[in-house]
């Protein structure tokens, strides 16, 4: 069985790429857990910076989740290259 039932990409107006994917929940669950764990790492890094003189991260949860998805993809790429 194929995990992705459907996936599309299209360019966004601002130079970004929009990705839409349809997956069965049972197939999506491991991916969602991995994204959540990576997002938690980002949150812990942000929490460690509280009290420092630098500005607090003001990303929306959706922005942080998108960053976690990209970070996860980079880690998979790097692991495959090793």
């Amino acid at each position: 069985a194929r995990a992705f039932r459907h996936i599309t990409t299209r360019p966004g107006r601002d130079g970004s790429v929009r990705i839409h994917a349809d997956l069965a929940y049972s197939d999506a669950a491991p991916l969602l857990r991995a994204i959540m764990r990576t997002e938690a790492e980002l949150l812990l890094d942000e929490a460690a910076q509280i009290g420092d003189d630098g500005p607090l991260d003001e990303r929306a949860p959706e922005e942080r989740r998108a960053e976690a998805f990209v970070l996860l993809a980079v880690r998979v790429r790097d692991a495959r290259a090793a």
Side-chain angles (χ1 to χ4, degrees), residues 20-56:
H20 177 86
D22 291 320
L23 294 91
Y25 185 78
S26 61
D27 294 327
L31 176 60
L32 294 173
R33 282 192 301 270
I35 292 170
M36 289 177 73
R37 287 183 180 118
T38 306
E39 188 177 1
E41 289 178 39
L42 295 173
L43 282 167
L44 287 171
D45 288 344
E46 291 171 25
Q49 295 175 21
I50 291 176
D52 293 346
D53 291 337
L56 292 176

Side-chain angles (χ1 to χ4, degrees), residues 2-80:
R2 290 182 268 172
F4 283 95
R5 294 178 180 171
H6 179 82
I7 188 167
T8 59
T9 60
R10 65 183 171 117
R13 294 183 204 169
D14 60 356
S16 63
V17 175
R18 296 185 181 273
I19 300 170
H20 177 86
D22 291 320
L23 294 91
Y25 185 78
S26 61
D27 294 327
L31 176 60
L32 294 173
R33 282 192 301 270
I35 292 170
M36 289 177 73
R37 287 183 180 118
T38 306
E39 188 177 1
E41 289 178 39
L42 295 173
L43 282 167
L44 287 171
D45 288 344
E46 291 171 25
Q49 295 175 21
I50 291 176
D52 293 346
D53 291 337
L56 292 176
D57 187 349
E58 296 181 4
R59 286 178 291 183
E62 297 82 10
E63 292 172 313
R64 189 178 298 104
R65 196 166 302 117
E67 184 178 337
F69 180 79
V70 171
L71 181 56
L72 182 62
V74 167
R75 288 177 177 174
V76 169
R77 179 204 62 200
D78 291 350
R80 290 180 56 100

